[in-house]
Amino acid sequence: MFILLLLQESLIEWLENQEYWKRNNGWDHVFICQDPNALYKVVDRVKNGVLLVSDFGRLTHNQGSLVKDVILPYSHRINSYLGNIGVENRDKLLFFMGNRYRKEVTSLQLF
């Protein structure tokens, strides 16, 4: 784990010294953060870019944004329930926001 953190720090230091990063302070960069803990030590330094995340559960209000970031679905180890119409024929996106363990009050939004 320690080596991974050193690699992340080294990568961000290298990135911050690049001409393209300096041009817009990272606003035109995209970061894949599929695992909720991905880049957790350096997220404050890349938060200006577009973050591809699986949830906002580990990001603070000034790190993640529903306006600029993209929520990617988790890949499951079991087959998803397709229902009567399947995945391809759906015309609605359902977004769940709340505690991952479902022990607290959550909100359900339909987009």
Side-chain angles (χ1 to χ4, degrees):
M1 183 71 167
F2 180 70
I3 293 175
L4 179 61
L5 296 177
L6 286 176
L7 288 172
Q8 287 183 8
E9 287 285 337
S10 298
L11 174 64
I12 299 305
E13 288 173 13
W14 175 84
L15 186 62
E16 289 173 337
N17 288 316
Q18 301 307 302
E19 170 189 350
Y20 296 109
W21 179 269
K22 292 177 183 178
R23 183 175 54 194
N24 293 312
N25 198 27
W27 285 97
D28 53 357
H29 285 63
V30 176
F31 297 92
I32 300 171
C33 306
Q34 181 67 8
D35 184 288
N37 292 318
L39 301 179
Y40 79 100
K41 284 287 193 182
V42 295
V43 71
D44 284 325
R45 294 167 65 184
V46 298
K47 65 184 179 183
N48 290 343
V50 175
L51 303 178
L52 305 180
V53 297
S54 54
D55 67 41
F56 286 119
R58 306 228 196 285
L59 300 177
T60 63
H61 70 280
N62 67 342
Q63 292 172 333
S65 165
L66 287 173
V67 175
K68 73 168 182 65
D69 298 327
V70 178
I71 301 173
L72 303 172
Y74 282 111
S75 59
H76 301 302
R77 294 183 180 195
I78 58 172
N79 293 332
S80 297
Y81 174 71
L82 299 178
N84 295 332
I85 62 171
V87 175
E88 294 80 19
N89 297 322
R90 294 181 186 175
D91 60 357
K92 301 278 189 281
L93 169 66
L94 186 66
F95 172 76
F96 181 85
M97 180 173 62
N99 189 314
R100 292 179 61 199
Y101 299 101
R102 316 298 186 246
K103 292 182 181 177
E104 296 178 6
V105 176
T106 60
S107 64
L108 190 63
Q109 299 177 356
L110 191 60
F111 296 97

